[in-house]
Amino acid sequence: MNTKSGKGKVLLKMRDVRIDGFSDERWHEIVKGVDLTLRRGEVMGLIGESGAGKSTLGLAAMGFARPGCRLTSGEIVFDGIDLMAASETEKRVLWGRRIAYVAQSAAAAFNPAHRLIEQTVEATVGEANAAEARQDARELYASLQLPDPDHIGERYPHQVSGGQLQRVMTAMAMSPRPDLIIFDEPTTALDVTTQVDVLSAMRDIVEKFDTAAIYITHDLAVVAQMADFIKVLRYGEEVEEAPTRTMLSKPKQDYTKSLWSVRALAKPEEPADDIALSVENVDASYGGTVKVLHDVTIHAPRGRTVAIVGESGSGKSTTARVITGLLPPSTGRVVFDGEPLPAALRDRSKDQLRRIQMIYQMADTAMNPRHTVGEIIGRPLEFYLGLSGRKRDDRVNELLAMIELDESFIDRLPSELSGGQKQRICIARALAAEPQVIICDEVTSALDQIVQEGILKLLLRLQKEFGLTYLFITHDIATVKAISDEIVVMYQGGVVEQGLKSEILGPPFPDYTKLLLSSVPEMDPDWLTGLIAERDGK
Amino acid sequence: MHPVVTTVIQRLALGLMTLFFVSIIIFASIEMLPGDFGETVLGQAATEETVEAFRKELGLDKPSYVRYFDWIGSVMSGDLGTSFSGRASSGVDRSRPVIDLVAPRLWNTLFLAGMTAIIAVPLALFLGITAALYRNSLYDRTVNATTLTTISFPEFFVAYLLILFLASLTQTFPSLANVTADTPFLERVNKSALPALTLTLVIVAHMMRMTRAAIINLLASPYIEMARLKGVSRMRVILRHALPNAWAPIAVVIAFNLAYLVVGVVVVEVVFVYPGIGQLMVDAVTTRDIPVVQACALIFAATYILLNLTADIISIVTNPRLLHPR
């Protein structure tokens, strides 16, 4: 597909597009004069960190601005139609018929009240015969390799999995056979193992109908599989644009190179025998009926990082809940420093609580939005260590210095911080208790690559300084490579294997580990094609 | 069994239990009312022996738990007891069963509530949906301001304004709503028009604003953006994509207001001389006619429980996660 570049006539042309966003009581320019040309049948990758303006630009290609945004100037011409001048009614004729949109979270983008097939054909039914549209939708489901394509459309959104929903949404976009599809981070919310299937289904169907597409993502390796050429955005401006292979082999700008950085970060593993925390033969269930963990045994050596990997639903976070005492296990025990911990949170002493701390994925929701940074970090100092007044404030400042923020942050509210800064505050809050073990639950998943790198480096430095033991829950293999000494692979509530990083990431592999590792996208534009061919060959 | 049926049965059982606890509270609070029926009826001049004999005749001398179980037992077999009034000291027992006192009044109240609901609920939904559709427009602001104004006036003031304009000045409707059991249907509707309009003005704002808010709250959802990006028209976005997911909060507010129509309209009844159950209860409290007070209170409690139950059930059946489990 990479030979398609240059074919076909121009479908979408954007010139010097400027878009304002409203925040802090005034308008800011968030897209600052971007040009974009897309020909029929071409796939363009649009990459950048969050806040780079890529979604805003993608929606602008439809002539749409989200509430709180406005298209201020520039030229957007879709197939001869000037979208800047078009009225909402005129644009509505294009939307969903000639230009379709595939949103990031399929679970949120489907209306919970209607059956999938009704939503799939909603844009098409206006023009075509309803029965024909439905039949066509079922065929699309089949070509997207959805299970039971004849009946899956009769289900409601909550009755199918995230990966399936994302494919149904692709079918929905494809249903009216549009000229252009905007894919807005369509696989970001999916597990790597699911992502492979969705990516290849999307790529095949776009190729089959020769549809032009803009593929928005923050993941270079993913976009490399999909796009003919790639445009990199930062702070609302274009950094560079080049054909995919050129972009991967010879990126010109430093910024583009830095997007690879986390993948390059790798810490040498250090074996250790002194076990700080172990989970022994734990079974656990929610409400006594749904068993979610069976016979889980994990050992965490002191001062080391154990990465727990697996897809969503594999029991990673439940294991963390068992360790912290939020979910007492039905059998088995948690041993800390050679002593078994009481199963339930309320039976543990303050000191036992203090020594195991937790950092969460969504720093936003893990902090009280009305507390200042000083109160957030100061609270564990008061609660566990009995510090108050001057002493407490001094310690907060020390902690801020440890996480590389200055004293001016002490009076700020969470809403005044960036995503990376929020996560740093959460790290400081965990550190304040002077713990021995920190459980990190997907702490970098919601962050951009460069910010991720900063957080991971900080965590590694703190580990060295304080001899901390990390249990690092993640689904991202690049993060695992960057931070772990040992790896635990979990699948469907059980442990597949545990061992040193080199043992787990090197052969021989159990089947599931192999599937998981091979599903991680690589920076090679032929990776997906090769992988699918290899899997089909078996 | 379908999980929705199970849930509904559970809610019903829970409702019955609530009603049982409420009956205890009703009984206990009436016990705590100062004074008693004997003294009120016989007057300050009555001798202690007379009062005592009278109390004995009514069973008021028994311990309160015995009287509670007597009462709740007969209520459960459909007997609300006999009114205290009408037995006075004359010696002739003209007392009537509570059911005969309450039933016609309850019917009147339900008629007025029903008539108001038929006007107010569709009106509130229509105004709420259109206000959400044209939000922040002049129309939206006008609807909001008008409904807020009507809810801000005291009920009796709204009632007198309507009497002034629709009864005195234009003589469209009668200002007296003194219906009886024999009033023919159309005349009854005509006579109830002004109280129904007053109550409509009082309750429409609440329901309309909740409808508007529930819909607008959903308009920020990704699936609404998705619908717009599929080229769905604004009207269809609201009716087909927002409204089906907004029923739960709307149903709760409608239920709350309908309950108010049954239990809280005594001021409007007084203004229009409408023989509803609210006035009956107020009269019964003044004369210490305990069986009637208890019966009214129980009916009010049952109304609340039943309407809230209905709202709960609507929330359940409009939630596809519950209606169509995995």
Side-chain angles (χ1 to χ4, degrees):
Chain A
M1 70 184 291
N2 291 301
T3 52
K4 272 194 326 201
S5 306
K7 88 165 189 185
K9 53 176 199 164
V10 172
L11 179 66
L12 174 72
K13 193 170 171 185
M14 299 171 85
R15 283 287 162 270
D16 196 29
V17 170
R18 290 172 188 275
I19 303 166
D20 279 359
F22 194 80
S23 62
D24 302 331
E25 311 284 305
R26 62 191 188 92
W27 292 96
H28 304 263
E29 198 164 69
I30 52 175
V31 172
K32 301 162 185 166
V34 175
D35 296 346
L36 185 156
T37 306
L38 189 69
R39 295 166 193 282
R40 282 185 182 277
E42 273 184 343
V43 179
M44 166 191 263
L46 204 54
I47 71 164
E49 300 173 33
S50 60
K54 47 192 196 307
S55 288
T56 314
L57 188 66
L59 288 168
M62 307 178 75
F64 181 83
R66 288 202 162 119
C69 290
R70 61 178 186 197
L71 302 164
T72 48
S73 70
E75 196 183 312
I76 304 169
V77 181
F78 173 81
D79 203 20
I81 305 163
D82 181 359
L83 293 183
M84 287 297 269
S87 72
E88 168 120 4
T89 321
E90 286 164 339
K91 286 187 278 193
R92 205 182 287 141
V93 177
L94 297 178
W95 292 346
R97 293 173 183 79
R98 299 197 58 201
I99 316 177
Y101 179 74
V102 175
Q104 172 168 3
S105 167
F110 274 102
N111 191 325
H114 300 297
R115 294 177 196 277
L116 293 171
I117 197 156
E118 288 166 28
Q119 303 192 53
T120 307
V121 301
E122 188 170 14
T124 316
V125 161
E127 311 175 342
N129 176 307
E132 264 172 45
R134 279 159 191 270
Q135 186 48 39
D136 178 65
R138 286 189 277 268
E139 281 160 24
L140 286 172
Y141 293 157
S143 56
L144 285 158
Q145 282 150 30
L146 281 159
D148 193 12
D150 288 341
H151 302 106
I152 195 168
E154 301 306 315
R155 300 205 194 167
Y156 284 84
H158 68 275
Q159 294 172 316
V160 304
S161 72
Q164 291 169 353
L165 269 186
Q166 201 56 269
R167 277 180 272 177
V168 175
M169 183 141 65
T170 307
M172 179 161 88
M174 201 49 95
S175 168
R177 299 295 183 277
D179 300 309
L180 171 64
I181 300 185
I182 316 283
F183 289 99
D184 192 354
E185 305 247 16
T187 62
T188 305
L190 304 178
D191 290 315
V192 279
T193 47
T194 318
Q195 174 172 274
V196 170
D197 299 333
V198 175
L199 281 179
S200 79
M202 282 176 176
R203 195 177 66 173
D204 291 349
I205 203 155
V206 166
E207 236 168 288
K208 184 174 168 189
F209 296 110
D210 205 22
T211 314
I214 295 178
Y215 195 98
I216 299 167
T217 178
H218 64 273
D219 190 336
L220 252 180
V222 165
V223 83
Q225 313 309 318
M226 304 297 289
D228 301 315
F229 62 105
I230 294 175
K231 185 193 283 290
V232 182
L233 286 185
R234 187 185 199 194
Y235 304 141
E237 284 174 285
E238 176 177 322
V239 176
E240 59 178 316
E241 182 184 309
T244 302
R245 281 170 198 278
T246 318
M247 181 69 88
L248 294 178
S249 54
K250 296 190 270 300
K252 288 198 204 89
Q253 303 294 324
D254 289 344
Y255 174 71
T256 314
K257 292 173 193 162
S258 75
L259 283 174
W260 304 46
S261 53
V262 174
R263 294 174 185 275
L265 186 72
K267 150 187 145 93
E269 71 187 20
E270 295 173 69
D273 293 328
D274 178 17
I275 302 297
L277 178 89
S278 54
V279 176
E280 295 177 356
N281 309 100
V282 158
D283 283 16
S285 59
Y286 285 113
T289 47
V290 189
K291 199 168 174 186
V292 281
L293 292 183
H294 44 90
D295 200 20
V296 168
T297 298
I298 293 170
H299 299 288
R302 192 178 310 281
R304 299 290 180 267
T305 303
V306 177
I308 303 178
V309 297
E311 52 194 62
S312 57
S314 61
K316 307 186 298 281
S317 296
T318 310
T319 307
R321 289 172 63 85
V322 168
I323 295 171
T324 53
L326 287 169
L327 179 72
S330 44
T331 57
R333 57 182 194 160
V334 179
V335 178
F336 184 52
D337 260 350
E339 282 172 32
L341 284 176
L345 192 65
R346 61 175 179 277
D347 300 329
R348 296 187 183 178
S349 70
K350 211 181 226 188
D351 198 51
Q352 284 169 332
L353 294 177
R354 179 185 65 76
R355 292 190 295 168
I356 302 179
Q357 292 294 313
M358 204 156 164
I359 310 172
Y360 299 89
Q361 175 175 7
M362 305 305 285
D364 262 331
T365 51
M367 291 190 283
N368 186 329
R370 299 202 179 272
H371 282 181
T372 63
V373 166
E375 287 170 309
I376 290 167
I377 303 178
R379 175 70 189 140
L381 294 173
E382 287 170 20
F383 181 75
Y384 291 119
L385 308 171
L387 296 184
S388 60
R390 207 39 218 270
K391 272 190 179 160
R392 190 191 73 156
D393 293 347
D394 288 348
R395 181 68 185 150
V396 170
N397 285 332
E398 277 175 41
L399 285 162
L400 281 174
M402 276 182 219
I403 54 162
E404 296 150 14
L405 296 177
D406 61 62
E407 296 186 3
S408 68
F409 280 86
I410 201 161
D411 292 320
R412 296 214 201 162
L413 290 168
S415 57
E416 298 169 272
L417 306 174
S418 72
Q421 287 167 344
K422 283 180 202 165
Q423 200 53 284
R424 280 171 191 261
I425 300 300
C426 289
I427 292 172
R429 176 171 62 182
L431 277 184
E434 300 178 10
Q436 286 161 322
V437 174
I438 298 183
I439 301 170
C440 305
D441 190 355
E442 303 270 11
V443 290
T444 56
S445 306
L447 303 173
D448 294 316
Q449 305 266 313
I450 293 175
V451 183
Q452 273 189 26
E453 190 196 4
I455 296 284
L456 292 178
K457 282 184 172 162
L458 171 69
L459 286 169
L460 286 173
R461 201 195 77 214
L462 294 169
Q463 181 170 46
K464 272 223 171 67
E465 272 174 45
F466 302 104
L468 295 167
T469 306
Y470 291 143
L471 277 174
F472 207 93
I473 296 168
T474 181
H475 67 271
D476 181 22
I477 304 293
T479 311
V480 172
K481 285 180 181 157
I483 196 161
S484 67
D485 296 289
E486 294 199 10
I487 299 177
V488 175
V489 181
M490 291 191 73
Y491 180 60
Q492 292 187 348
V495 172
V496 178
E497 53 176 341
Q498 165 163 22
L500 289 172
K501 176 160 60 178
S502 56
E503 294 167 10
I504 302 288
L505 298 181
F509 301 112
D511 286 348
Y512 178 69
T513 310
K514 187 173 184 184
L515 176 72
L516 188 66
L517 292 178
S518 70
S519 301
V520 180
E522 287 169 21
M523 286 293 188
D524 169 7
D526 300 322
W527 166 78
L528 183 63
T529 316
L531 179 72
I532 298 295
E534 188 188 321
R535 287 190 185 172
D536 287 348
K538 276 180 188 170
Chain B
M1 203 175 349
H2 197 283
V4 167
V5 180
T6 325
T7 318
V8 168
I9 291 172
Q10 279 171 356
R11 293 296 160 95
L12 270 172
L14 211 63
L16 273 178
M17 248 171 63
T18 315
L19 197 57
F20 174 71
F21 285 117
V22 169
S23 75
I24 296 178
I25 295 170
I26 291 170
F27 190 83
S29 359
I30 287 170
E31 284 295 287
M32 284 185 277
L33 279 182
D36 78 19
F37 180 75
E39 277 175 21
T40 315
V41 169
L42 300 175
Q44 300 282 330
T47 62
E48 247 171 62
E49 291 80 42
T50 338
V51 173
E52 208 45 51
F54 192 59
R55 286 170 59 91
K56 197 161 196 154
E57 190 195 329
L58 295 178
L60 288 175
D61 56 332
K62 292 188 224 163
S64 48
Y65 68 91
V66 175
R67 278 183 289 129
Y68 172 73
F69 283 109
D70 284 352
W71 172 58
I72 204 72
S74 48
V75 166
M76 278 194 285
S77 58
D79 175 14
L80 288 172
T82 309
S83 165
F84 284 177
S85 65
R87 334 184 151 229
S89 41
S90 58
V92 189
D93 190 357
R94 286 194 298 270
S95 64
R96 299 160 60 193
V98 172
I99 192 98
D100 292 352
L101 285 171
V102 171
R105 295 296 194 106
L106 181 62
W107 162 241
N108 288 344
T109 290
L110 291 180
F111 183 88
L112 181 59
M115 188 168 155
T116 311
I118 287 170
I119 305 169
V121 174
L123 181 69
L125 289 178
F126 174 80
L127 290 175
I129 290 168
T130 48
L133 185 60
Y134 305 107
R135 62 190 174 286
N136 304 329
S137 67
L138 185 66
Y139 171 79
D140 179 25
R141 274 174 286 160
T142 314
V143 169
N144 265 306
T146 317
T147 50
L148 262 188
T149 312
T150 59
I151 204 180
S152 307
F153 287 131
E155 286 164 37
F156 68 86
F157 186 71
V158 176
Y160 286 133
L161 276 186
L162 286 182
I163 290 177
L164 177 66
F165 287 106
L166 295 179
S168 303
L169 296 181
T170 60
Q171 289 172 4
T172 320
F173 296 112
S175 64
L176 283 188
N178 52 344
V179 295
T180 65
D182 313 323
T183 316
F185 181 75
L186 283 179
E187 195 189 330
R188 188 178 260 268
V189 170
N190 190 38
K191 282 192 163 180
S192 308
L194 281 187
L197 280 179
T198 309
L199 291 171
T200 299
L201 289 177
V202 171
I203 65 168
V204 130
H206 197 183
M207 296 189 289
M208 170 260 152
R209 289 169 71 82
M210 182 49 101
T211 307
R212 178 182 179 276
I215 289 174
I216 287 180
N217 192 21
L218 288 175
L219 291 184
S221 321
Y223 61 81
I224 297 290
E225 181 180 280
M226 191 73 220
R228 288 191 65 196
L229 290 174
K230 279 198 284 185
V232 175
S233 71
R234 282 164 59 142
M235 189 55 131
R236 191 174 154 90
V237 164
I238 301 255
L239 290 182
R240 185 168 164 77
H241 288 275
L243 195 58
N245 295 295
W247 280 126
I250 296 174
V252 169
V253 168
I254 291 178
F256 181 82
N257 280 287
L258 294 190
Y260 164 81
L261 288 180
V262 175
V263 310
V265 298
V266 69
V267 172
V268 175
E269 286 175 10
V270 170
V271 171
F272 292 101
V273 203
Y274 189 85
I277 199 168
Q279 273 203 65
L280 177 68
M281 186 173 180
V282 171
D283 293 345
V285 171
T286 3
T287 57
R288 299 286 185 277
D289 192 348
I290 293 164
V292 174
V293 177
Q294 283 172 337
C296 291
L298 210 54
I299 287 168
F300 290 169
T303 308
Y304 261 106
I305 290 170
L306 204 66
L307 284 167
N308 276 306
L309 198 68
T310 315
D312 269 3
I313 292 170
I314 288 174
S315 315
I316 292 168
V317 298
T318 56
N319 184 342
R321 278 168 198 278
L322 295 169
L323 199 60
H324 308 277
R326 293 179 85 101

